[in-house]
Amino acid sequence: MADLPPARDGATRRTDSLALLSTPAIDVWVATASADGLPHLVPVSLAWAGERVVLAVDGASLTARNLQASGRARLGVGPTRDVVMIDAVLERTAGVDADAALGEAYAAQADWDPRGLAGYVFLVLRPERLQAWREANETAGRTLLRDGTWVV
């Protein structure tokens, strides 16, 4: 582990994670599973609004169907050497034209606007666990949010 930058403390990782999640036009890998346990992984645009992850997808997509059935997803944001992993639960689903404030927040950050697209929905996810690390020297203490509460 020579030549690794020093490990960040928890407060710095939290600040860095929130900055990453608030980045304009940031994408996220969304992992879901079917009722049969078949995995599904897809990249989509993300908005971070009120400590919630907001995704816009076609309501008939496998991602939407899996999330609505299981209520759970695992998200990965950032490159492998500066990753934020989020275990989240589906808090609510809203038509893209049903919540003006949510639509504005999503369009402002995601750099595209799904409002007006037939069949599209916003999936609002509540993080239950958030982990962040860069290199092996940051795997200890990587959990920053547990059971929906910040631990740092």
Side-chain angles (χ1 to χ4, degrees), residues 10-11 20 24-25 29 40-41 52 66 70 90 103-104 108 112 136-137 141 146:
L20 179 63
W29 286 97
H40 179 67
L41 180 68
R52 299 297 187 259
N66 285 350
S70 73
L90 180 63
E104 285 298 319
W112 78 284
N137 65 345
R146 182 181 296 115

Side-chain angles (χ1 to χ4, degrees), residues 59-118:
S61 70
L62 190 52
T63 299
R65 292 192 325 261
N66 285 350
L67 256 167
Q68 289 169 339
S70 73
R72 306 192 69 72
R74 183 135 205 213
L75 314 172
V77 183
T80 57
R81 290 212 162 108
D82 193 6
V83 68
V84 173
M85 299 295 296
I86 301 171
D87 294 320
V89 295
L90 180 63
E91 186 171 88
R92 67 186 173 105
T93 301
V96 292
D97 295 314
D99 185 328
L102 189 60
E104 285 298 319
Y106 183 86
Q109 183 180 349
D111 199 31
W112 78 284
D113 192 346
R115 291 175 291 180
L117 294 177

